[in-house]
Amino acid sequence: MPPTQLSPETRIRPSHAELAVIAAIVALGLALRAPLLTRGFHFDELNSVINFIEAPSAWDTISRVSAFNNHPFYSLLARGAEALFGRAEWVVRLPALLFGLVTPPLLWFSLRRATGRRPALLAALLLATSSVHIGFSASARGSTGLVFFTWLSSVLFLALLRGTRDRSRLLAYSLVTALGLWIHLYAAAVFVVQGLILVLVALGEARERGLRNVLTRYGTIAGGMAGAALLALLCYAPALRRMAPELLTSHPHAFMPLLPLAVLSYLAGRGMTPGGFLLVAVALAGLLLGLRGRRLEGRYVALLFTLPLLGNWLTHQDTYRTRFFVFLLPFFVLGLALATEALWRWANQVPGRARAAARASSLAVLALPAWLWVSRPWSNVPRGGFREATAALEAPAARQGARIGRCAIGLGDTFYAWYATRPILIPTSVAEFEAFLAANDEVRCAWMDGIGNTPAHDSIGALLEHRCGPAEPYHVLQVYRCHKEAR
């Protein structure tokens, strides 16, 4: 974030040692993410891949919608990656990985002048090792793009408010903000907060300098925001006709009293556990300490943490998912870094011989949050099971020459086709399934239960459980094997 004043230390260019550290952080981030790139797709990924990324044309990719399942700009990037490198899980996830790898150095570079080198490097390290960020960096979704664009938009916006208003920065702000909105609609939460901050700052200065001076001073920023909104509207234009009914329809859910705490503890990577609550407390304390005296940045971060959460909390909208608030993650890790820096500075200010003991005690105090942060690096990685279930459907027959029928029912019944090399029936009625059973020596059927299943598939699922015995579990999926002699 832009600083209130620059110290001599932070005016200089990054040293070779500093660049080496940030390079090591990026390498560590890659090492934590790369092993996850080739795992099988999960439900949401296959939904995006089949319906949007591999749609018949690029126009279909950006014009189709389904709630928040299509992140249009990400789908377009993944489509381009497939055109370049072929069809594979790691290819479709490549844009998410790249966004995930460039964000930690961006965080470091944009913070070092405001916070100093050490907190900026620590924030980059915390983001690179965040289980939430690792999981999203290895999933074919737009979440890491959301983090990248909303952070960069925030940096540019605050710089504009501080008075850095060259045309190139204003254009960069408009473009970055529009792309953030196009990669994930929840970037609108950040955009709304920026608009509110602009109004509050302008009104505060209008009392002292007059309305005309305020309009001259902040009109260009308002124009940049209008340009971002217009550009985002143009990006979404192909999908607006289909999007509008979904966006305008209210779908309230039951009131969730602990929703804000659930979101914050999710960002900590520990969920609603004592460890998660501890990390939340440390991060919030760090933000309070580190942003004290920085009125503009403090108000911005405070509104960013409260307004989107309260809006969703009080309106009970079912568009809420903890993962949608991942745009808060860079600010969360900034809080952890600032808390660490404050504790270390306190230890260094202890006079005389007690300083060594203070340093040792501060390291001991930091040991638990550090362990909580890094001890579950892959806890936010969803497992789908579609690849494994499809392999079970296509495994060789136990008896040579046996006729094997393969079918799929329930949620994602069409998603197995991405992995399948043989036909998979999707029965539409119990009668069709019964005929399928009678025509084959063995029937293997994959089943995923959930809200939205057709009554026919629910009936077939009950039939499978009754006739075929225990299923083979593959994460959230099950595969039943029905042999003719056992029916």
Side-chain angles (χ1 to χ4, degrees):
M1 293 180 183
T4 51
Q5 60 182 13
L6 300 182
S7 66
E9 176 194 13
T10 54
R11 286 197 187 103
I12 62 175
R13 293 181 178 180
S15 65
H16 291 300
E18 199 176 354
L19 291 173
V21 171
I22 198 64
I25 289 173
V26 174
L28 174 62
L30 178 60
L32 290 170
R33 290 157 174 75
L36 302 170
L37 294 176
T38 56
R39 76 189 194 282
F41 285 132
H42 64 85
F43 183 90
D44 283 346
E45 287 182 298
L46 278 170
N47 191 2
S48 293
V49 170
I50 291 175
N51 294 315
F52 311 120
I53 295 170
E54 295 182 353
S57 68
W59 177 261
D60 288 322
T61 294
I62 62 174
S63 63
R64 290 181 176 181
V65 295
S66 177
F68 287 94
N69 281 312
N70 187 17
H71 303 162
F73 185 42
Y74 185 89
S75 296
L76 202 61
L77 292 174
R79 185 184 186 92
E82 270 202 344
L84 286 173
F85 303 112
R87 197 169 185 252
E89 290 101 334
W90 72 268
V91 172
V92 182
R93 291 167 174 152
L94 185 59
L97 174 69
L98 295 178
F99 280 125
L101 292 178
V102 300
T103 307
L106 170 66
L107 193 63
W108 157 73
F109 187 76
S110 57
L111 284 174
R112 67 186 299 272
R113 302 175 73 188
T115 66
R117 299 168 176 173
R118 191 166 52 223
L121 285 171
L122 180 56
L125 176 63
L126 290 168
L127 186 62
T129 55
S130 161
S131 62
V132 173
H133 202 251
I134 289 169
F136 284 136
S137 298
S139 295
R141 312 284 286 150
S143 299
T144 52
L146 172 65
V147 173
F148 173 82
F149 285 117
T150 52
W151 174 263
L152 186 52
S153 173
S154 298
V155 171
L156 293 170
F157 174 75
L158 291 172
L160 290 169
L161 280 182
R162 285 288 181 199
T164 310
R165 295 188 196 159
D166 57 276
R167 183 175 297 178
S168 60
R169 192 181 295 264
L170 189 65
L171 290 174
Y173 165 76
S174 297
L175 178 61
V176 164
T177 301
L179 290 177
L181 290 165
W182 200 26
I183 208 164
H184 201 300
L185 268 177
Y186 253 60
V190 179
F191 188 64
V192 169
V193 168
Q194 290 172 355
L196 182 58
I197 285 289
L198 181 62
V199 170
L200 291 175
V201 170
L203 288 177
E205 291 194 16
R207 299 189 186 97
E208 301 175 5
R209 302 185 180 185
L211 183 60
R212 180 176 296 180
N213 290 331
V214 167
L215 290 177
T216 302
R217 181 174 170 80
Y218 295 109
T220 54
I221 303 177
M225 294 192 72
L230 179 60
L231 184 55
L233 192 63
L234 289 174
C235 290
Y236 275 108
L240 278 180
R241 183 175 58 84
R242 299 176 181 177
M243 280 179 61
E246 292 195 21
L247 293 175
L248 297 175
T249 303
S250 178
H251 299 286
H253 61 63
F255 181 62
M256 301 176 65
L258 298 179
L259 186 149
L261 187 57
V263 170
L264 294 176
S265 58
Y266 171 77
L267 296 176
R270 308 292 299 192
M272 300 277 280
T273 64
F277 300 151
L278 174 61
L279 287 169
V280 168
V282 172
L284 294 181
L287 288 173
L288 289 172
L289 289 170
L291 297 178
R292 187 173 53 187
R294 296 176 182 271
R295 188 179 180 189
L296 175 60
E297 288 86 352
R299 290 167 80 182
Y300 183 75
V301 173
L303 283 176
L304 205 58
F305 269 81
T306 55
L307 194 63
L309 284 171
L310 286 175
N312 211 304
W313 192 35
L314 296 176
T315 57
H316 307 184
Q317 290 301 296
D318 72 351
T319 52
Y320 151 77
R321 301 287 188 278
T322 51
R323 64 182 181 271
F324 289 171
F325 295 89
V326 71
F327 58 82
L328 295 172
L329 185 59
F331 300 92
F332 190 91
V333 299
L334 173 60
L336 292 174
L338 291 174
T340 303
E341 177 69 9
L343 187 59
W344 186 247
R345 286 189 176 184
W346 164 83
N348 285 330
Q349 290 170 1
V350 173
R353 297 179 178 178
R355 183 177 300 169
R359 287 178 174 177
S361 63
S362 66
L363 290 174
V365 169
L366 291 171
L368 178 58
W371 178 82
L372 290 171
W373 187 256
V374 301
S375 60
R376 299 170 62 191
W378 296 301
S379 60
N380 189 52
V381 181
R383 305 284 179 177
F386 284 90
R387 183 171 68 184
E388 296 84 354
T390 305
L393 292 178
E394 297 191 346
R399 181 168 56 85
Q400 189 173 5
R403 290 173 299 174
I404 299 177
R406 300 165 185 86
C407 69
I409 59 173
L411 292 181
D413 50 15
T414 61
F415 294 171
Y416 303 89
W418 201 87
Y419 290 106
T421 60
R422 300 181 182 184
I424 296 179
L425 173 72
I426 302 175
T428 58
S429 67
V430 174
E432 183 181 7
F433 179 71
E434 292 275 15
F436 188 62
L437 278 176
N440 291 281
D441 300 312
E442 178 186 349
V443 165
R444 302 169 185 174
C445 200
W447 157 246
M448 182 177 177
D449 197 4
I451 299 172
N453 282 343
T454 65
H457 281 192
D458 284 333
S459 299
I460 294 170
L463 193 66
L464 286 169
E465 188 174 352
H466 175 68
R467 290 196 185 180
C468 305
E472 302 168 14
Y474 296 95
H475 303 298
V476 295
L477 309 174
Q478 301 179 79
V479 172
Y480 287 90
R481 294 174 185 258
C482 301
H483 297 274
K484 180 172 286 187
E485 60 271 14
R487 295 173 208 159

